[in-house]
Amino acid sequence: MIPEANLTIWGWGSLGIVLFLITFGPFAIFYFAFYVSCFVGGGFIVTILFGKITSEKYLEKCEHSFLTPLSPGIQKCLEEMKREAKPIRIDRRVTGASIIDEPLQQVMQFSLRDYVQYWYYTLSEDESFLLEIRQTIQNALVQFSTRSKEIDWQPYFTTRLVDDFATHLRVFRKAQQRISEKEDQKKDSTEDFVDTFFDVEVEMEKIVCRDLVCTSSKDEEGFLKDLCEVLLYLLLPPGEFQNKIMRYFVREILSQGIILPLINQLSDPDYINQYIIWMIRDSNCNYEAFMNVIKLSDNIGELEAVRDKSVEELQYLRSLDTGGEDINTTKNQINSLLFVKKVCETRIQRLQSGKDIDTVKLAASFGKLCTVPLDKILVDNVALQFFMDFMQHTGGQAHLFFWLTVEGYRVTAQQQLEVLRSRQKDGKHQTNQTKGLLRAAAVGIYEQYLSEKASPRVHIEDYLLTRLENVLNHDDPTPEIFDDIQRKVYDMMLRDEKFYPSFRHNPLYIRMLAELDMLKEPSFRGSDDGDGESFNGSPTGSINLSLDDLSSVSSDDLVQFNAFISETGVCNEHGKTYALYAITVQRRNLEGMEDMWKTYRRYSDFHDFHMRITEQFENLATLLRLPGKKTFNNMDKEFLEKRKNDLNAYLQLLLNPDMLKACPTLAHCVFEFLENKAYNKGKGDFARKPPTLLAKSDADPEHCRVSAQLDDNVDDNIPLRVMLLLMDEVFDLKERNQWLRRQITSLLQQLIRATYGDTINRKIVDHVESMTSPDQVADYVKHFRDSFWPNGILAESPPLRDRSIRMRTRVAAKTKLLEIMPDELKHIIGADTARKGILRVFEMFQHNQLNRRLVYVFLEGFLETLFSQYKFRELFNKLHSRSERMQKYKQRLQSSQAPSLQKR
């Protein structure tokens, strides 16, 4: 039964399939399968959705049943997170000047684009973080701009900046001197020179050494990061500074993206050389200056670069097919290049063999040097300096100073007598006073050089001394009173073998010729024996007398004087503003009667009076201290009150009975100063004593601030102060004859007075104001932008130029500097000294580490001025205290001070 049933099922099934296929076609089975699958899939999806909804309702029911409800704050926070972030609006005003803000905004945009955006967008597309960084940077710039506007930048540019540069130059000069003293020192050893430079810096600065930030890139980066973080602390609001992530980003952008690349560029010697050539681009190349550079060069790389370029040019010229007139020009060029090539090769061989000889030593081997007559030496500042040094060594300085003093006396006496005659024509009579001054000056010259008490003494025939004594005792003094003796002294210096004849065979004479640039072509013509030389020339010396007051007032009478500054005021005369001090003077005479009067004096009167008495009484220099000068804001009420108190203290110390008794003749000078009449300054009448011509400065030569050694009488004259400070360090005038330095100071004063007069300070102040004006600051920002992002694209690090090209650039820059050296400078300080000074400045910029040190010194001075209320000086000392040189120096100081402490 079962098989029959199975057969029946299969039969009916097969019949049904056949009929289905006949009726609906062969593809109907596929449609049927598709419908079935859709039915099954739809049922499955409906089942899943129903289960999910049921589960959510159940979980929500459980949540409200067993968990505490959410707080409103969390709910609100969740809602805020679901909303879209609102755009942050940034106020694009930074400095308040649109001309500055526009390029500054571009700098910020480029910085964020190239230092942050290029990697940030790979992490997130949310721009709120970038906007926050930009807002932070802008807030710092706003604070920086606001603080900059509150600062008076004139003292920084006219005093601090120049002083820092001069101090850096002094460290370099002393390092050069120390290197030259080492016999086995190689001249091309840059590392040894840099080490020596920072050793000298420690000895001069005493409290700081910047060797780590200048020689170690790791320490430099750490220093800049610390410095930027301090600046952000001062410039950012507290809330933004506490955001460490934001602060670190801004710090890295400033230190690594802005400041460090700028320092790298400014300290690159090749960049500085190119900049020098660009600044002097209007000057044509000078063949003589170029040959001087080659002959004086100590750098083999420079010489090789010039030699190779000469060879290259020779090959090119020889390959030309020239004819006619061009062939003569080509031959001349070839001969010039051959000469340059020969000079370079000779110089290279001499340097490699270690037989480099000074130009002066080479000149000593010349068979016959040009002759400079004695009368020319006595009227030339540069030549007189060397002759003065020689006369000091031979003990003949009294003869030379006597001749110079008489020259000064003659000119001054002629001027005084001419003034006297003009006053007599006008009905004014001051015959006795003027002749008394001249007689006192003449007597002073006699006592200083010709009397038996003179030391050293000028020995002259007795009949000349007797004739002079008779004139001084009976006749009125005349400008020609010393002519016979002066002629005799001149003849002694000219004929005596130990004076001028010996000087012509002394190395100082050769150095004098080098300074006068006369080793090749003599500028002076004269015979060897000096025939025909005149005994008097133009006034070059100064007489050696500080006149005492000829008043009949005794010192005992003057002891009873009392004086004090009762009031002060500001006066304006001919466009010049100055402070005036009213001095109330009380005097009690022998009968007990009291006299009282007021006299008015300026600070310059006090200063002139102080100079006169301290030169006449040398022991007063350590007892009396005149208040210092101030260039800016010297008319403030507070400053004038403080100066009034200081000058009062100065007067009381000056009128102290013990001091007047110790210096009896001081009483007459004080009486003249306190008289109720116009004060007659001593600078225009007679010059100072010759001993002061050779006196060295009392300032510490190792003082870290070189401006501390400048004379007080130049502090109020900005250009004179700057020029004298730079000339002292560039041309080493402090180490030279002080007489020459005084002559240079006088020449500079005359030059400045003739050029600008009394308006020079105002012009400098106006120039500083223009340098800090919005237009100039905008130009600075634009130059910075165009340098780092030319055409809006981040500039790549320029490839290091070929060494030969860099060496030729050095030679070209050095030649340019020598070309612009004025001839007047050669006449003032000497040609050789001028060349060496200019080349010293050039060599100072050829060391990357030293340039970095100068940049950091300028940066420190800038920040100390900008944040004067904070202790930035102590901060820098602390940041630089990690230097091993600094630690070793402190240890040496402690070890050297230990024995003295034990003795105490």
Side-chain angles (χ1 to χ4, degrees), residues 460-615:
I460 299 296
E461 287 82 351
D462 293 338
Y463 75 93
L464 292 175
L465 292 178
T466 302
R467 186 188 306 171
L468 176 62
E469 291 173 356
N470 291 333
V471 174
L472 291 175
N473 292 330
H474 302 95
D475 299 336
D476 293 333
T478 63
E480 298 80 16
I481 189 173
F482 292 102
D483 278 4
D484 293 337
I485 300 179
Q486 187 192 31
R487 186 180 294 107
K488 184 67 176 177
V489 171
Y490 177 85
D491 190 67
M492 292 172 58
M493 291 190 296
L494 178 66
R495 306 292 180 181
D496 196 326
E497 283 295 330
K498 65 180 181 179
F499 296 145
Y500 177 70
S502 297
F503 175 63
R504 288 187 52 199
H505 300 284
N506 192 277
L508 286 173
Y509 184 79
I510 301 173
R511 295 192 177 277
M512 181 194 73
L513 295 179
E515 291 287 5
L516 298 174
D517 217 6
M518 295 174 59
L519 289 179
K520 294 181 180 180
E521 299 178 359
S523 302
F524 298 107
R525 301 293 182 182
S527 60
D528 294 345
D529 55 1
D531 292 339
E533 297 176 12
S534 60
F535 69 90
N536 61 349
S538 60
T540 58
S542 56
I543 69 174
N544 62 330
L545 188 62
S546 293
L547 293 177
D548 294 332
D549 184 78
L550 301 179
S551 173
S552 59
V553 180
S554 65
S555 60
D556 292 335
D557 189 18
L558 191 61
V559 169
Q560 303 180 31
F561 268 79
N562 182 29
F564 62 94
I565 301 177
S566 54
E567 55 184 332
T568 182
V570 178
C571 300
N572 192 304
E573 182 180 7
H574 303 297
K576 293 181 61 176
T577 304
Y578 56 90
L580 200 64
Y581 300 91
I583 306 175
T584 301
V585 185
Q586 298 174 344
R587 183 184 62 178
R588 177 176 298 177
N589 56 24
L590 298 177
E591 300 176 358
M593 302 292 293
E594 287 189 358
D595 295 332
M596 180 180 294
W597 67 86
K598 281 189 177 182
T599 184
Y600 298 89
R601 296 288 180 259
R602 298 175 55 179
Y603 177 84
S604 58
D605 299 333
F606 276 95
H607 187 273
D608 181 82
F609 172 71
H610 180 75
M611 286 182 60
R612 295 181 63 180
I613 62 175
T614 52
E615 287 188 2

Side-chain angles (χ1 to χ4, degrees), residues 329-346:
T329 303
T330 303
K331 286 183 178 179
N332 291 334
Q333 293 177 352
I334 291 176
N335 292 332
S336 298
L337 290 172
L338 287 174
F339 177 72
V340 171
K341 177 175 174 289
K342 182 179 179 181
V343 172
C344 291
E345 291 176 346
T346 303

Side-chain angles (χ1 to χ4, degrees), residues 765-795:
V765 171
D766 293 341
H767 182 66
V768 172
E769 291 179 353
S770 67
M771 289 174 58
T772 56
S773 64
D775 293 337
Q776 287 295 325
V777 174
D779 289 339
Y780 303 151
V781 178
K782 290 177 181 178
H783 289 157
F784 175 81
R785 178 199 61 191
D786 296 338
S787 177
F788 275 72
W789 291 277
N791 299 322
I793 301 174
L794 181 64

Side-chain angles (χ1 to χ4, degrees), residues 753-891:
R753 190 180 301 112
T755 307
Y756 293 105
D758 297 329
T759 63
I760 183 65
N761 281 5
R762 183 68 255 172
K763 289 182 178 293
I764 291 180
V765 171
D766 293 341
H767 182 66
V768 172
E769 291 179 353
S770 67
M771 289 174 58
T772 56
S773 64
D775 293 337
Q776 287 295 325
V777 174
D779 289 339
Y780 303 151
V781 178
K782 290 177 181 178
H783 289 157
F784 175 81
R785 178 199 61 191
D786 296 338
S787 177
F788 275 72
W789 291 277
N791 299 322
I793 301 174
L794 181 64
E796 298 180 358
S797 299
L800 185 64
R801 300 201 306 167
D802 185 72
R803 185 173 184 271
S804 60
I805 298 178
R806 287 185 282 117
M807 289 296 111
R808 290 199 295 270
T809 304
R810 281 184 54 161
V811 174
K814 200 183 301 185
T815 305
K816 288 285 188 180
L817 286 176
L818 290 181
E819 285 175 4
I820 63 173
M821 181 175 62
D823 294 334
E824 292 78 8
L825 185 62
K826 299 179 184 179
H827 299 328
I828 294 175
I829 62 175
D832 192 55
T833 297
R835 277 194 297 267
K836 289 181 179 178
I838 292 177
L839 293 179
R840 178 184 293 117
V841 176
F842 177 81
E843 290 297 332
M844 182 183 70
F845 289 112
Q846 304 311 306
H847 302 272
N848 186 285
Q849 299 91 334
L850 274 55
N851 294 338
R852 303 184 92 84
R853 189 259 180 195
L854 183 60
V855 172
Y856 281 116
V857 169
F858 287 162
L859 178 61
E860 292 172 11
F862 175 80
L863 293 178
E864 289 179 27
T865 305
L866 185 63
F867 302 98
S868 57
Q869 69 272 33
Y870 301 108
K871 299 179 180 179
F872 259 84
R873 180 73 267 165
E874 298 179 5
L875 172 65
F876 289 128
N877 293 343
K878 185 176 181 180
L879 292 178
H880 295 305
S881 62
R882 293 189 293 268
S883 171
E884 294 183 2
R885 283 187 175 86
M886 194 69 244
Q887 297 173 1
K888 292 180 180 179
Y889 180 77
K890 291 181 178 179
Q891 293 176 358

Side-chain angles (χ1 to χ4, degrees), residues 367-386:
K368 183 177 178 62
L369 299 173
C370 59
T371 300
V372 182
L374 181 59
D375 63 333
K376 302 297 183 182
I377 292 177
L378 294 176
V379 297
D380 186 273
N381 287 332
V382 177
L384 182 58
Q385 172 206 349
F386 291 93

Side-chain angles (χ1 to χ4, degrees), residues 387-403 449 456-458 489 492-493 496 498-499:
F387 188 59
M388 188 179 296
D389 292 340
F390 174 79
M391 294 294 281
Q392 281 187 287
H393 295 154
T394 58
Q397 67 270 25
H399 297 74
L400 178 59
F401 287 152
F402 173 78
W403 191 92
Y449 295 104
R457 181 186 180 189
V458 179
V489 171
M492 292 172 58
M493 291 190 296
D496 196 326
K498 65 180 181 179
F499 296 145

